Amino acid sequence: MSATLALTEALIARASVTPDDQHCQRIMTERLSALGFACETIESNGVTNLWAVKRGTDADAPLLAFAGHTDVVPTGPIEQWRSPPFQPSHRDGVLYGRGAADMKTSLAAFVVASEEFVAAHPQHRGAIAFLITSDEEGPATDGTVKVVEALQARGVKMDYCIVGEPTSTNTLGDCVKNGRRGSMSGKLVVKGVQGHIAYPHLAKNPVHLLAPALAELVAEKWDDGNEYFPPTTWQVSNLHSGTGASNVIPGHADVQFNFRFSTASTVEGLQQRVHAILDKHGLEYDLHWSISGLPFLTPRGALSNALEKAIHDETGVTTELSTTGGTSDGRFIARMCPQVVEFGPPNGSIHKIDEHIEVKFIDPLKNVYRRVLEQLIA
């Protein structure tokens, strides 16, 4: 069994459902400390975070960080799994277990890649760091964002960061994320006047009032996207009104919606345009906004070039840069690091029953990470 596979299995065997790390970071810390990393645990409201750094011989050389999460999503109905979700199991060249793809294989590959790199380059010039949290799959309020805030307060600088999210689609290396869209939600309450449905002139139906504005919001073109991002989208996620009775005009209509937006738009601009449409239709309403993540983008540069070369040299695959998908902790790291990319295993089984990874991808993933270290900080 390869070192990367063995460590992956050891991590999968820990039932680290958000925010319980289940000592996964302790396993990693033991390995990293043996390499000379200075390891620090940063706890916040039951969340365990690890910041580990190994300095190189040249203080002016770059720092490359590996970032990821030890927490996993709940298993779902255990009886639907073909094998216990926290018991690493092999069938036909495939490793099964919760976290196999998202993202314990990446964590193991980070560690073993660093071990091999340090063994081959004991006098490496640049620095290597690990930023690991147990709060990525949950609310993400006490994880990476807290570590980033602490590091910024200390004046710590990162030059490059690879987040081990499962970005590949059909085969290892075919897709790398060099940015993510922002996510902004709104809770809208359109006010009306409740009344008897037989006497509509004595009431004000908020659903009828809302309908034209809703149609305009659905039809609105928010932006055209750009070289890296698709156009911004606006979607209704919940719509509710009424008492449940068939003869009562409701007194209010409640709508929840979400923007997935690119760097082609701004928070302020999108909010102003929504309010302008609602006001245009003369609605009486309350609207509360929440932002779960701002968009970030790493244009082509040293890190993406090194990663593309490493993937091609290791696998023969020509990778594609993409910004599709949901949010990730890269949005927090981008506040302090100019080049952030995400790369990891195929993502077809993430969050599903019988999550898995093909064993043939595990050591090549580790080798890609090692090759990037060799290019950028050796």
Side-chain angles (χ1 to χ4, degrees), residues 84-370:
F86 296 109
Q87 178 181 305
S89 303
H90 290 258
R91 295 188 294 277
D92 301 321
V94 177
L95 171 63
Y96 291 84
R98 175 59 85 220
D102 189 13
M103 55 179 290
K104 291 183 175 180
T105 299
S106 294
L107 298 180
F110 286 161
V111 171
V112 179
S114 299
E115 290 173 337
E116 293 182 356
F117 173 76
V118 171
H121 305 276
Q123 299 300 312
H124 57 88
R125 294 173 50 254
I128 315 170
F130 280 67
L131 197 172
I132 310 297
T133 184
S134 68
D135 182 37
E136 197 274 346
E137 299 288 10
T141 54
D142 290 281
T144 298
V145 64
K146 293 294 186 183
V147 180
V148 166
E149 290 170 355
L151 296 177
Q152 287 180 306
R154 301 174 190 176
V156 174
K157 303 291 184 182
M158 288 185 197
D159 298 283
Y160 313 116
C161 181
I162 299 176
V163 185
E165 289 292 337
T167 60
S168 301
T169 52
N170 297 315
T171 190
L172 181 69
D174 59 1
C175 185
V176 168
K177 304 290 186 182
N178 66 321
R180 295 278 189 167
R181 294 176 296 174
S183 177
M184 177 168 63
S185 297
K187 290 185 177 181
L188 171 67
V189 178
V190 176
K191 301 175 182 179
V193 176
Q194 183 174 314
H196 197 294
I197 208 159
Y199 302 95
H201 59 289
L202 300 178
K204 185 192 293 185
N205 194 318
V207 178
H208 295 185
L209 297 172
L210 169 64
L214 188 60
E216 185 168 343
L217 289 166
V218 170
E220 183 75 2
K221 183 177 182 180
W222 303 98
D223 60 45
D224 294 316
N226 55 36
E227 177 186 359
Y228 296 102
F229 285 99
T232 291
T233 61
W234 183 90
Q235 289 288 313
V236 171
S237 55
N238 287 275
L239 177 60
H240 176 76
S241 189
T243 64
S246 63
N247 61 349
V248 179
I249 292 172
H252 58 87
D254 302 340
V255 183
Q256 295 184 39
F257 60 82
N258 178 267
F259 277 107
R260 292 301 167 106
F261 63 104
S262 73
T263 52
S265 289
T266 65
V267 166
E268 296 77 14
L270 293 173
Q271 290 181 355
Q272 289 171 3
R273 290 170 66 184
V274 170
H275 281 283
I277 291 172
L278 298 175
D279 293 341
K280 170 185 171 183
H281 290 274
L283 300 180
E284 183 182 359
Y285 65 92
D286 292 323
L287 176 53
H288 298 281
W289 296 96
S290 61
I291 302 167
S292 56
L294 296 174
F296 76 92
L297 175 66
T298 298
R300 289 187 180 274
L303 180 56
S304 61
N305 291 340
L307 189 53
E308 286 179 303
K309 183 178 188 305
I311 290 169
H312 190 269
D313 289 349
E314 181 64 30
T315 68
V317 172
T318 299
T319 196
E320 174 190 1
L321 296 181
S322 171
T323 59
T324 59
T327 59
S328 78
D329 277 358
R331 67 191 189 274
F332 303 126
I333 300 168
R335 299 176 186 176
M336 65 175 296
C337 182
Q339 297 189 49
V340 180
V341 297
E342 303 172 21
F343 170 62
N347 55 26
S349 69
I350 62 174
H351 294 204
K352 293 183 178 180
I353 302 294
D354 289 337
E355 181 180 348
H356 60 268
I357 182 173
E358 293 185 61
V359 174
K360 68 180 182 181
F361 292 143
I362 292 178
D363 276 316
L365 177 64
K366 173 263 297 180
N367 293 340
V368 169
Y369 293 149
R370 190 197 67 241

Side-chain angles (χ1 to χ4, degrees), residues 1-24:
M1 182 184 294
S2 78
T4 313
L5 176 56
L7 182 52
T8 299
E9 291 191 359
L11 294 173
I12 290 173
R14 302 279 177 163
S16 55
V17 178
T18 311
D20 189 356
D21 173 66
Q22 282 285 308
H23 303 307
C24 287

Side-chain angles (χ1 to χ4, degrees), residues 23-90:
H23 303 307
C24 287
Q25 291 176 31
R26 181 181 298 176
I27 294 173
M28 298 177 67
T29 296
E30 290 173 355
R31 301 280 284 262
L32 296 174
S33 296
L35 290 180
F37 279 78
C39 299
E40 175 186 2
T41 296
I42 301 173
E43 296 183 337
S44 178
N45 294 321
V47 171
T48 305
N49 302 299
L50 170 64
W51 170 248
V53 63
K54 185 180 187 300
R55 299 294 176 184
T57 58
D58 183 352
D60 295 324
L63 183 152
L64 187 153
F66 292 121
H69 58 91
T70 53
D71 61 318
V72 297
V73 296
T75 63
I78 291 179
E79 65 275 9
Q80 293 183 18
W81 286 71
R82 291 181 60 194
S83 52
F86 296 109
Q87 178 181 305
S89 303
H90 290 258

